[in-house]
Amino acid sequence: MSEFSIQQVNALHKAGKYNDASSMCIEMIKAGQDVKEAYMLFARSYLFMMMPANLKDHQDGFLNAVAGAVKQAETPEEVFELEGRACDYVEQWQGHVTKKMLSSFANNPTGDQWQAYINNWVEF
């Protein structure tokens, strides 16, 4: 089994290759390699693969990955740091999704698109 690195996962995130990053994180977790960090990056990958329209179906995956990282924590301070990072990921994701949705609306400014945008954020 190949060894992967946190830097490789971060490079995949930066390139927007969240599926590949997710797979790499799973392999790292299975191999016992940087497990806590791999869980956090898996959570980030999982989150960025979601859109508000399917959020309810996928939010458990994100939360389970964060829980996996938290279980590796050794101190309460570490738990707070990990949970804070998870909150940061959610804020980054919200900006990412908003940008994608507004771009889609700008390219196809119909009443239906606008209503879908509003409904997705009301659900969120």
Side-chain angles (χ1 to χ4, degrees), residues 19-30:
N19 273 332
D20 293 340
S22 175
S23 296
M24 192 177 287
C25 289
I26 290 168
E27 292 302 319
M28 291 176 71
I29 292 165
K30 286 180 184 177

Side-chain angles (χ1 to χ4, degrees), residues 71-91:
K71 288 177 185 174
Q72 303 294 315
E74 297 176 7
T75 65
E77 291 79 14
E78 243 184 315
V79 171
F80 292 133
E81 186 268 331
L82 293 168
E83 290 176 350
R85 284 178 58 195
C87 290
D88 289 344
Y89 292 161
V90 170
E91 287 181 17

Side-chain angles (χ1 to χ4, degrees), residues 40-53:
M40 286 305 292
L41 294 175
F42 178 63
R44 186 172 192 266
S45 298
Y46 208 97
L47 187 65
F48 273 77
M49 289 186 287
M50 297 189 303
M51 291 295 287

Side-chain angles (χ1 to χ4, degrees), residues 52-114:
N54 62 6
L55 179 64
K56 289 176 184 169
D57 296 337
H58 293 90
Q59 64 187 353
D60 286 345
F62 171 74
L63 296 173
N64 288 337
V66 172
V70 167
K71 288 177 185 174
Q72 303 294 315
E74 297 176 7
T75 65
E77 291 79 14
E78 243 184 315
V79 171
F80 292 133
E81 186 268 331
L82 293 168
E83 290 176 350
R85 284 178 58 195
C87 290
D88 289 344
Y89 292 161
V90 170
E91 287 181 17
Q92 292 166 7
W93 172 77
Q94 286 174 326
H96 170 77
V97 171
T98 299
K99 184 177 176 182
K100 285 181 88 169
M101 292 177 83
L102 288 175
S103 175
S104 175
F105 177 66
N107 293 330
N108 184 17
T110 66
D112 289 343
Q113 277 292 105
W114 182 243

